[in-house]
Amino acid sequence: MSDIEIAQAANKKRIVDLAKEQYGIDSEYLEPYGHYKAKLSLEYVQSISAKEEGNLVLVTAISPTPAGEGKTTTTVGLGDALNRIGKKAIMCLREPSLGPCFGVKGGAAGGGYAQVVPMEDINLHFTGDFHAIGVAHALLSAMIDNHINHGNELDIDPRRIQWKRVVDMNDRALRNIVVGMGGPANGYLREDGFDIVVASEIMAILCLATSREDLKTRLGNIIIGYKTDKVTPVYASDLKAHGAMAALLNNAINPNLVQTLENNIAIIHGGPFANIAHGCNTVTATKTGLKLADYTITEAGFGADLGAEKFIDIKTRMAGLNPKCVVLVATIRALKYHGGVAKDQLNTENLEALEKGMVNLEKHVSNIRDIYGLPCVICVNHFTFDSGAEIKLLQDKCEAIGVKAIVSKHWADGGAGAEDLAKEVVNVVENSPGKHTYVYEDNAPLMEKIEAIATKVYGAANVTFDSKVKQQLQIWDKDYGSYPVCIAKTQMSFSTDPTAIGAPTGHTVHISEVRLANGAGFVVAIAGNMMTMPGLPKVPAAEKIDVDENGNITGLF
């Protein structure tokens, strides 16, 4: 069966009953959205803040390929497997964006028999969090232009407005637009553009905020642009927009509870881009999981050079989290792709290409152990075309570098197929847990932080900066020098060239632009040509999605 057919055939339990059964959460703290998903009140989250925390495990992956790796599927399968072997485990995932769902990537609820459900709800509108973020973002956009239209008392320079508009869809035609056309009655004529909702700073803010008051403060700290003197920032609080924006996010800040196919609770909350932002679910969700369960399994977007680095350097730094172990997801198909095999040849045994592609996995392992300071377990996400010889070669190579590779069949067998992986994770956490280290120190200058990530994590030989970027970073060092940095680059390679597969070294990382995400509390450095508004492919996934007369959705994957 397809993923959606498996999901629709699941024997789901009412989420209110499941929350009470597994974690003793009374119904008064839950706001159901139908029978199988609910929001957990922030008041309940705060009421358990004094409880002892469980163990945090991060799931990340090798550099993404068209062959697919399966982080979400592994996160779900590992969580189900931990529950099967007697460990109380909860999974914390990101919410999917509609753009990739209708584009090329598909949904983000896992796959096969390692899924969270209701799959179609999670992948489509869910509980309305992304809608609330999009509307809050749009409100600030409207208030900026409205302020200029009514006299511009704040002296905002329309040429230096940093705040774009957003929509949760891949629509390349909206990347660059002109607003205010049609005469003075329609506002001030200026260039503008759209990003996708997951690239909004409000998404990053929601994912890092720890309370409603913190949320409101961060929203007020958003820099929307600069005054005509070119240097004085204008904040969302100057427009008195942050209170209304927080009101629109009043329910969105509450984490969402759903369940796996095996009726284990999962928390799905937030979903920032792993490029322009930090690519992790909310701090609230992760901390809630840590208070409720013995093991909290969470994921970070893209490969370990992007998502895991940002998880360590941004999320754990801000939230005071302490991951104990990292699971690095790899597939034999993806490693053969890194070894130079074309996508349509990946199901054929090729030991030479597999061995060549291992350099990608080895570099990620080195980063996780030697730079992030954490123990690493390799999850070989099994495909039916994997040969015995390929599996043996991969495991032998991993053993040679001192890391264990566990073949996991959770896609086909659910939690039962990931029990060996779960046992190894427990073994590492209970006997040799790690203590994470940062790639750079808080007090390092911003340029040094960028250079540290590029040279240590990406293997770059050199980092160059546009002259205006250098000047801007030196100015920001005074007031924002303590901020972590978030490098936006292609996820397909350690370098800024998406075609440079394997583990390229000696390359140059060029920083062409920097952006200050003051509300989120980090500096974004743009490396290469990064899109914050994707486009649809020639044959978008949307062409296969449909709904029948009875309301049954088909075609999601």
Side-chain angles (χ1 to χ4, degrees):
M1 294 191 292
S2 67
D3 287 351
I4 192 169
E5 289 170 335
I6 292 170
Q8 289 172 340
N11 182 23
K12 299 186 290 289
K13 293 185 178 181
R14 292 170 63 94
I15 196 68
V16 173
D17 298 336
L18 201 57
K20 177 67 174 178
E21 172 190 324
Q22 293 188 353
Y23 296 104
I25 302 172
D26 292 329
S27 59
E28 64 185 280
Y29 298 113
L30 295 166
E31 183 181 358
Y33 282 64
H35 298 304
Y36 306 116
K37 54 188 186 292
K39 280 197 166 288
L40 181 63
S41 74
L42 206 59
E43 289 68 30
Y44 177 82
V45 171
Q46 292 164 346
S47 75
I48 60 173
S49 60
K51 289 184 67 175
E52 186 177 348
E53 291 187 349
N55 300 296
L56 180 59
V57 176
L58 174 67
V59 176
T60 185
I62 61 172
S63 300
T65 70
E69 289 70 52
K71 287 191 305 295
T72 303
T73 306
T74 299
T75 301
V76 175
L78 175 58
D80 280 341
L82 285 164
N83 281 303
R84 287 178 65 91
I85 66 171
K87 303 295 181 181
K88 200 172 194 178
I90 201 165
M91 293 129 276
C92 291
L93 303 167
R94 292 171 295 160
E95 299 180 49
S97 166
L98 288 174
C101 184
F102 292 131
V104 65
K105 182 178 179 293
Y113 288 90
Q115 293 190 57
V116 280
V117 288
M119 183 260 222
E120 56 267 64
D121 291 10
I122 293 167
N123 279 316
L124 298 180
H125 301 292
F126 202 21
T127 58
D129 291 348
F130 282 22
H131 167 75
I133 291 167
V135 173
H137 188 114
L139 173 63
L140 182 54
S141 297
M143 290 182 73
I144 292 167
D145 286 301
N146 183 65
H147 181 87
I148 295 171
N149 184 62
H150 287 289
N152 197 8
E153 184 180 337
L154 290 172
D155 193 30
I156 299 170
D157 187 343
R159 298 165 302 175
R160 290 179 173 81
I161 292 173
Q162 312 292 310
W163 195 251
K164 288 187 173 184
R165 287 165 159 80
V166 297
V167 63
D168 195 27
M169 197 57 60
N170 292 0
D171 192 347
R172 61 173 56 85
L174 294 177
R175 288 173 186 159
N176 298 286
I177 64 169
V178 176
V179 296
M181 296 179 69
N186 296 321
Y188 191 96
L189 190 70
R190 67 179 182 89
E191 292 184 4
D192 202 346
F194 275 79
D195 291 334
I196 194 167
V197 162
V198 288
S200 170
E201 186 179 348
I202 295 176
M203 175 68 82
I205 287 171
L206 182 78
C207 290
L208 292 168
T210 55
S211 66
R212 287 190 176 90
E213 191 59 36
D214 183 35
L215 174 69
K216 194 186 304 184
T217 299
R218 288 175 178 272
L219 292 170
N221 287 339
I222 292 171
I223 294 175
I224 62 95
Y226 293 86
K227 298 192 176 188
T228 54
D229 64 7
K230 302 180 182 179
V231 295
T232 305
V234 181
Y235 300 92
S237 58
D238 293 330
L239 291 162
K240 299 181 176 62
H242 55 308
M245 293 164 69
L248 286 167
L249 299 169
N250 189 41
N251 284 336
I253 197 172
N254 296 322
N256 307 296
L257 300 189
V258 291
Q259 62 191 287
T260 70
L261 295 175
E262 299 184 16
N263 307 122
N264 292 309
I265 290 284
I267 306 176
I268 302 184
H269 197 210
F273 252 13
N275 275 327
I276 205 71
H278 59 294
C280 309
N281 65 287
T282 66
V283 167
T284 300
T286 304
K287 287 200 163 185
T288 301
L290 288 168
K291 299 296 182 181
L292 291 174
D294 301 324
Y295 283 80
T296 296
I297 317 301
T298 192
E299 63 172 355
F302 296 141
D305 57 322
L306 286 179
E309 184 274 317
K310 293 173 172 116
F311 178 87
I312 297 294
D313 280 319
I314 298 177
K315 184 172 179 176
T316 66
R317 193 189 298 261
M318 289 189 183
L321 300 173
N322 294 291
K324 303 289 182 63
C325 172
V326 173
V327 174
L328 181 68
V329 182
T331 66
I332 287 172
R333 283 164 48 89
L335 289 170
K336 287 190 290 189
Y337 184 89
H338 279 290
V341 175
K343 185 180 177 182
D344 61 358
Q345 298 295 314
L346 292 174
N347 291 339
T348 302
E349 182 183 284
N350 191 325
L351 298 179
E352 181 181 353
L354 175 60
E355 185 165 8
K356 185 179 177 183
M358 278 291 297
V359 294
N360 186 269
L361 181 145
E362 290 165 359
K363 174 58 176 168
H364 284 297
V365 170
S366 174
N367 286 346
I368 291 165
R369 294 193 306 194
D370 302 335
I371 299 176
Y372 310 153
L374 292 169
C376 180
V377 177
I378 306 298
C379 169
V380 183
N381 187 13
H382 182 261
F383 278 71
T384 54
F385 294 100
D386 299 344
S387 74
E390 288 174 329
I391 292 170
K392 185 178 187 306
L393 175 62
L394 174 54
Q395 290 181 320
D396 289 346
K397 285 284 185 181
C398 288
E399 185 179 354
I401 60 171
V403 64
K404 186 167 284 190
I406 309 293
V407 177
S408 190
K409 299 184 178 182
H410 44 278
W411 186 90
D413 300 326
E419 286 191 16
D420 288 344
L421 177 64
K423 289 172 183 175
E424 181 59 23
V425 167
V426 170
N427 176 51
V428 170
V429 169
E430 292 186 353
N431 297 306
S432 53
K435 175 65 177 173
H436 70 277
T437 52
Y438 299 119
V439 179
Y440 51 81
E441 297 300 324
D442 280 340
N443 58 2
L446 292 168
M447 275 201 296
E448 285 187 18
K449 291 175 180 177
I450 294 168
E451 288 167 346
I453 296 171
T455 55
K456 293 179 183 179
V457 178
Y458 305 160
N462 191 32
V463 183
T464 58
F465 301 83
D466 277 3
S467 57
K468 63 179 181 179
V469 169
K470 269 189 178 181
Q471 183 181 14
Q472 186 65 79
L473 290 173
Q474 289 165 352
I475 293 170
W476 283 347
D477 269 330
K478 179 183 176 184
D479 295 319
Y480 313 107
S482 63
Y483 281 11
V485 295
C486 176
I487 299 184
K489 75 166 186 71
T490 178
Q491 69 272 22
M492 308 303 287
S493 173
F494 281 106
S495 74
T496 56
D497 176 5
T499 66
I501 55 177
T505 58
H507 51 276
T508 294
V509 171
H510 180 70
I511 306 300
S512 59
E513 181 186 353
V514 285
R515 303 176 187 175
L516 180 58
N518 192 50
F522 53 73
V523 171
V524 178
I526 309 295
N529 183 24
M530 287 310 309
M531 288 291 182
T532 51
M533 169 53 81
L536 292 171
K538 184 176 181 179
V539 182
E543 292 185 7
K544 299 176 183 177
I545 298 171
D546 203 353
V547 59
D548 67 19
E549 194 64 29
N550 298 315
N552 297 310
I553 293 171
T554 57
L556 281 171
F557 69 98

